[in-house]
């Protein structure tokens, strides 16, 4: 694997470090052998990217995104799925039903690095593309239903960029679902106190109290559901239960939109 520490954006290191360390646990709640392979290959100390709350949050969101995707794929088994802003995520392996067509999409420099680790597979292909420009969508096969995943992406966008992204999705696809990770106004203001992101140069963008705020930016969408990561995190530890109370309205959420 021809991968160096500098090849990976720091925010991607957070999720890689957490998925790797969770995979190594005896009773792992999620397994990501590729993440463990990448971290092992890098051979550097990434413990600062793996504090308790971020660890539990990434585990929770991985489970919640996987379960929601699997639920939608039971209803739309022939859907075309897009992991937009995929980074090093490998959701295809988590939910493949043997029929779906999957596209991992990210900016050209990120896809170039991803190709050092992943290869295109049958029904799972990597594409260069931006969440703010829909030209890449013309390369997708026609399908009645598109399922779009944006995990760990929109929280770094400004309000104007979120609007551009939502408009692009509705302009490009007649029907679809968007599974998006959203964050709060508190995190937008206090991102430098985030237990893992404060070790990077990243800054959080537009935060919302509810996914309903997205609908003013793109009226063609409707909010189907919205769940805090607290709902999953509180299942596993006393600290998770306490944070669900103390951080009731500040944890990230999984929002599902339909158009």
């Amino acid at each position: 694997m021809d991968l160096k520490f500098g090849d990976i954006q720091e925010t991607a290191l957070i999720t890689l470090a957490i998925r790797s360390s969770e995979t190594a646990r005896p009773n792992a709640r999620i397994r990501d052998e590729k993440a463990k392979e990448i971290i092992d290959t890098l051979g550097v100390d990434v413990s600062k990217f793996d504090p308790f709350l971020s660890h539990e949050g990434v585990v929770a969101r991985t489970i919640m995104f996987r379960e929601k995707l699997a639920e939608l794929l039971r209803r739309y088994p022939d859907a075309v799925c897009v992991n937009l802003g995929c980074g090093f995520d490998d959701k295809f392996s988590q939910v493949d039903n043997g029929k779906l067509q999957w596209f991992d999409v990210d900016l050209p420099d990120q896809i170039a690095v991803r190709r050092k680790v992943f290869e295109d597979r049958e029904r799972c292909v990597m594409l260069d593309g931006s969440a703010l420009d829909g030209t890449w969508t013309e390369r997708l096969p026609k399908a009645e239903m598109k399922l779009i995943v944006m995990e760990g992406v929109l929280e770094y966008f400004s309000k104007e960029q979120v609007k551009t992204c939502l408009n692009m999705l509705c302009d490009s696809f007649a029907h679809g679902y968007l599974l998006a990770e959203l964050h709060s106004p508190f995190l937008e203001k206090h991102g430098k106190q985030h237990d893992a992101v404060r070790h990077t140069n990243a800054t959080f963008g537009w935060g919302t109290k509810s996914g309903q705020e997205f609908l003013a930016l793109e009226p063609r969408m409707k909010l189907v559901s919205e769940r805090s990561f607290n709902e999953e995190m509180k299942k596993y530890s006393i600290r998770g239960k306490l944070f669900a109370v103390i951080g009731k309205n500040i944890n990230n959420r999984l929002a599902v939109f339909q158009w």
Side-chain angles (χ1 to χ4, degrees):
M1 185 186 300
D2 182 24
L3 200 62
K4 300 179 178 62
F5 185 72
D7 286 338
I8 303 177
Q9 294 178 351
E10 289 178 313
T11 52
L13 271 174
I14 296 171
T15 51
L16 281 171
I18 291 169
R19 288 173 176 160
S20 172
S21 67
E22 181 67 24
T23 299
R25 294 182 178 186
N27 299 309
R29 292 163 290 176
I30 60 172
R31 300 200 64 83
D32 190 333
E33 298 297 342
K34 184 62 73 172
K36 190 172 186 307
E37 180 186 353
I38 293 170
I39 294 298
D40 289 348
T41 298
L42 291 176
V44 295
D45 182 9
V46 293
S47 58
K48 68 180 180 180
F49 296 116
D50 190 17
F52 176 79
L53 283 177
S54 281
H55 185 104
E56 294 300 291
V58 168
V59 169
R61 82 179 191 185
T62 301
I63 293 169
M64 290 169 67
F65 270 82
R66 181 186 67 206
E67 290 179 348
K68 180 54 70 171
L69 261 177
E71 174 190 322
L72 287 170
L73 284 168
R74 285 191 288 272
R75 294 165 56 187
Y76 306 102
D78 298 310
V80 169
C81 300
V82 178
N83 193 355
L84 184 52
C86 60
F88 292 95
D89 191 22
D90 185 24
K91 279 194 172 36
F92 173 76
S93 297
Q94 300 174 27
V95 300
D96 181 27
N97 61 6
K99 299 174 67 176
L100 66 88
Q101 298 180 81
W102 188 281
F103 294 85
D104 287 309
V105 179
D106 214 321
L107 297 172
D109 59 342
Q110 175 58 44
I111 290 295
V113 177
R114 183 181 173 91
R115 288 190 182 280
K116 295 182 178 183
V117 182
F118 291 93
E119 294 181 352
D120 285 338
R121 291 161 276 181
E122 185 180 4
R123 297 180 294 101
C124 182
V125 176
M126 289 174 272
L127 288 180
D128 294 352
S130 167
L132 304 176
D133 177 356
T135 53
W136 58 272
T137 64
E138 299 167 4
R139 301 169 62 187
L140 300 186
K142 303 298 180 185
E144 181 65 23
M145 182 55 62
K146 301 289 198 304
L147 306 180
I148 314 298
V149 178
M150 296 189 75
E151 178 183 338
V153 180
L154 289 178
E155 57 260 50
Y156 301 105
F157 282 10
S158 67
K159 184 176 181 178
E160 292 73 21
Q161 288 173 319
V162 171
K163 175 176 170 56
T164 297
C165 178
L166 300 182
N167 296 164
M168 178 275 288
L169 291 175
C170 288
D171 288 343
S172 301
F173 307 125
H175 303 287
Y177 284 86
L178 169 63
L179 283 65
E181 180 178 359
L182 310 186
H183 71 290
S184 67
F186 179 88
L187 197 57
E188 177 184 355
K189 294 177 182 177
H190 302 283
K192 284 302 177 185
Q193 282 74 54
H194 187 279
D195 61 352
V197 176
R198 65 188 173 90
H199 296 295
T200 76
N201 293 319
T203 56
F204 288 108
W206 182 50
T208 57
K209 293 181 179 179
S210 166
Q212 292 286 349
E213 295 175 55
F214 276 47
L215 307 185
L217 307 182
E218 179 44 85
R220 287 173 286 185
M221 285 187 170
K222 67 176 181 179
L223 181 64
V224 177
S225 63
E226 187 170 16
R227 295 179 62 217
S228 170
F229 294 170
N230 285 334
E231 293 185 34
E232 188 70 26
M233 288 171 65
K234 68 184 181 183
K235 297 178 182 179
Y236 303 108
S237 69
I238 296 296
R239 289 171 72 182
K241 289 179 181 178
L242 285 173
F243 185 71
V245 176
I246 299 169
K248 181 179 179 181
N249 298 316
I250 64 174
N251 205 351
N252 288 15
R253 300 103 63 196
L254 166 59
V256 180
F257 300 91
Q258 181 183 12
W259 72 96

